[in-house]
């Protein structure tokens, strides 16, 4: 056996050890062992190649990274869930109440062992304008349940294979986003956010919506088949949450599986409270400023939250505060602020700090 063949033999042995170290479904294990046997046969006959080996090795690496049996233990405590929602989100009382009702049915089913871990509640779909907190609300639900959190962005998705994977018959084949996120979470019951469902490209919308119909139905997704993995994986323990700016571009079949929760716009009072208590302290710290190096008068906040008119969310508000803090930091670094002094933003000078 030449050096090349010896190297392949050593790599095949490592694959065999990897397979033995993990618990796999019997029929899948049989399939993988058959692939290893075929690799050894080509090695013995002298027809083995690194291309063949790389294909098998990549497949086995993906299979062994999937959480067929691993799952996190749920936190079945509604008061804890309420605390998480209140901690992460100011206001939004009606939305938080809807989510607590939704979590209550999941928690009760888990406590009474009536669901066997399967999520049968409708999929929440958070609908709202940009910056209204849809993504962070989904993360809070995962935190409240003590589950891993993963996000699949649908903005600009133009091929159903991005979700379902590509057959290994193709040279550049790889699993779809669902399998990748499960492998990344190392848990069979994560919270997976399907972000911006309304922004799928028009040409592939029907194909992708077809995959979503299967993905969001617990009667179908317990045998979800990724084209690359080519083996059914049980997704019925996954908690899916969707977001969109509106429902116009979401198919009726998918909407039937969703429970729409409308995200309200933030009022000026809510934005002021969020800015003063959360955004400003966070951004000031990230900009390298001490608490005593930059202060903002109370009567200035009304100009900060509406520099260019009304905005439903807080994303642009955060950018405005970032601009203010960066300008203050630049003044300090350039020595324009006397040592030991601080920058005080007032109704007279606030315009020079607002981004232009």
């Amino acid at each position: 056996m030449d050096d090349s063949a010896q190297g392949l033999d050593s790599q095949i042995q490592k694959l065999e050890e990897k397979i033995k170290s993990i618990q796999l479904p019997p029929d899948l294990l049989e399939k993988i062992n058959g692939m290893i046997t075929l690799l050894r046969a080509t090695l013995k006959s002298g027809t083995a190649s690194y291309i063949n080996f790389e294909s098998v090795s990549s497949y086995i690496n993906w299979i062994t990274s999937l959480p067929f049996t691993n799952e996190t233990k749920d936190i079945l405590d509604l008061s804890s869930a309420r605390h998480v929602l209140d901690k992460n989100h100011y206001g939004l009382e009606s939305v938080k109440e809807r989510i607590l009702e939704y979590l209550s049915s999941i928690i009760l089913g888990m406590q009474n062992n009536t669901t066997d871990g399967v999520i049968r509640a409708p999929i929440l779909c958070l609908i709202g304008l940009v910056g209204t907190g849809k993504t962070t609300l989904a993360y809070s639900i995962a935190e409240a349940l003590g589950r891993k959190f993963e996000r699949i962005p649908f903005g600009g998705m133009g091929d159903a294979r991005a979700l379902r994977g590509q057959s290994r018959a193709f040279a550049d084949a790889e699993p779809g986003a669902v399998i990748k996120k499960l492998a990344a979470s190392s848990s069979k019951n994560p919270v997976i956010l399907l972000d911006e469902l309304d922004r799928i490209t028009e040409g592939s919308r029907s194909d992708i919506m077809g995959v979503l119909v299967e993905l969001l139905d617990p009667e179908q997704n317990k045998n979800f088949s990724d084209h690359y993995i080519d083996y059914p994986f049980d997704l019925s323990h996954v908690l899916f949450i969707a977001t969109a700016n509106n429902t116009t571009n979401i198919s009726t079949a998918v909407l039937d599986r969703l429970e729409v929760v409308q995200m309200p716009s933030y009022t000026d009072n809510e934005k002021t409270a969020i800015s003063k208590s959360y955004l400003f302290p966070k951004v000031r710290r990230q900009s390298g400023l001490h608490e005593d190096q930059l202060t903002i008068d109370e009567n200035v906040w009304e100009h900060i939250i509406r520099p260019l008119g009304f905005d439903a969310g807080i994303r642009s508000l955060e950018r405005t505060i970032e601009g203010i803090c960066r300008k203050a930091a630049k003044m300090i670094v350039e020595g324009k602020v006397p040592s030991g002094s601080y920058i005080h933003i007032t109704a007279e000078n606030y315009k020079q700090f607002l981004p232009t």
Side-chain angles (χ1 to χ4, degrees):
M1 188 181 292
D2 60 25
D3 290 346
S4 176
Q6 282 182 343
L8 272 177
D9 183 61
S10 173
Q11 293 297 319
I12 292 171
Q13 284 180 18
K14 288 180 181 177
L15 285 181
E16 289 173 327
E17 290 167 7
K18 191 169 192 175
I19 294 166
K20 289 175 184 175
S21 68
I22 193 166
Q23 186 179 350
L24 294 172
D27 49 346
L28 181 57
L29 182 61
E30 184 179 345
K31 175 182 177 179
I32 291 176
N33 283 333
M35 295 168 73
I36 292 289
T37 301
L38 188 60
L39 262 185
R40 287 212 168 277
T42 58
L43 186 64
K44 184 177 282 189
S45 65
T47 58
S49 72
Y50 271 104
I51 295 176
N52 230 0
F53 170 78
E54 286 296 333
S55 174
V56 174
S57 174
S58 179
Y59 179 74
I60 290 174
N61 286 335
W62 276 112
I63 289 295
T64 53
S65 69
L66 290 178
F68 287 99
T69 56
N70 296 338
E71 62 181 354
T72 54
K73 185 175 176 60
D74 286 323
I75 299 173
L76 306 179
D77 185 344
L78 197 64
S79 61
S80 173
R82 187 184 297 275
H83 171 73
V84 169
L85 290 173
D86 288 339
K87 177 192 70 172
N88 293 346
H89 306 274
Y90 182 87
L92 303 177
E93 296 307 324
S94 61
V95 173
K96 288 192 281 193
E97 198 60 34
R98 286 278 300 276
I99 288 172
L100 288 170
E101 291 169 2
Y102 179 78
L103 290 176
S104 296
S105 64
I106 293 174
I107 289 172
L108 195 60
M110 299 289 187
Q111 287 176 338
N112 294 339
N113 293 320
T114 59
T115 62
D116 193 31
V118 176
I119 303 295
R120 299 193 184 279
I123 310 301
L124 283 182
C125 183
L126 306 173
I127 302 291
L129 299 175
V130 173
T132 50
K134 301 184 295 293
T135 301
T136 52
L137 200 53
Y139 179 81
S140 293
I141 293 172
E143 184 183 346
L145 286 171
R147 294 191 176 197
K148 299 290 183 65
F149 177 79
E150 297 292 338
R151 171 181 170 268
I152 299 176
F154 279 75
M157 187 179 288
D159 193 336
R161 288 176 296 185
L163 273 183
R164 201 188 276 281
Q166 188 173 26
S167 167
R168 288 188 298 115
F170 297 92
D172 58 347
E174 61 179 1
V178 178
I179 289 297
K180 287 180 178 178
K181 296 303 179 182
L182 284 166
S185 71
S186 300
S187 166
K188 68 181 291 186
N189 67 337
V191 171
I192 295 183
L193 175 63
L194 310 175
D195 207 10
E196 299 181 317
L197 286 190
D198 57 327
R199 293 189 58 205
I200 298 167
T201 58
E202 190 173 347
S204 302
R205 190 175 298 143
S206 60
D207 289 341
I208 293 174
M209 289 294 166
V211 178
L212 282 172
V213 168
E214 177 186 348
L215 202 63
L216 302 178
D217 189 334
E219 297 303 322
Q220 298 183 58
N221 67 16
K222 61 185 177 183
N223 289 307
F224 179 77
S225 183
D226 180 278
H227 288 160
Y228 179 86
I229 299 299
D230 194 25
Y231 183 84
F233 192 96
D234 184 3
L235 299 179
S236 61
H237 293 231
V238 175
L239 177 57
F240 290 102
I241 298 174
T243 71
N245 292 328
N246 57 68
T247 60
T248 307
N249 294 326
I250 303 176
S251 73
T252 304
V254 171
L255 274 176
D256 283 344
R257 289 160 172 79
L258 301 176
E259 180 177 337
V260 172
V261 177
Q262 199 71 40
M263 298 287 292
S265 302
Y266 287 101
T267 66
D268 285 359
N269 287 339
E270 287 174 333
K271 285 186 176 184
T272 301
I274 292 168
S275 299
K276 289 161 60 178
S277 303
Y278 176 70
L279 289 179
F280 180 49
K282 182 190 78 168
V283 173
R284 182 173 55 193
R285 185 173 59 253
Q286 290 175 345
S287 302
L289 295 162
H290 291 305
E291 186 177 344
D292 58 358
Q293 287 182 301
L294 175 62
T295 61
I296 300 176
D297 278 354
E298 288 290 324
N299 60 353
V300 174
W301 286 107
E302 61 183 281
H303 303 289
I304 293 175
I305 64 173
R306 280 200 181 206
L308 299 173
F310 178 71
D311 177 27
I314 59 171
R315 198 168 294 160
S316 60
L317 172 59
E318 184 169 8
R319 284 196 289 266
T320 300
I321 295 173
E322 286 172 349
I324 291 170
C325 290
R326 282 196 296 266
K327 287 190 178 184
K330 181 172 179 285
M331 289 174 65
I332 293 171
V333 171
E334 288 177 341
K336 293 180 179 178
V337 180
S339 179
S341 186
Y342 68 96
I343 296 173
H344 184 194
I345 299 179
T346 66
E348 287 72 39
N349 68 0
Y350 76 89
K351 287 185 179 180
Q352 72 181 79
F353 291 92
L354 288 179
T356 54

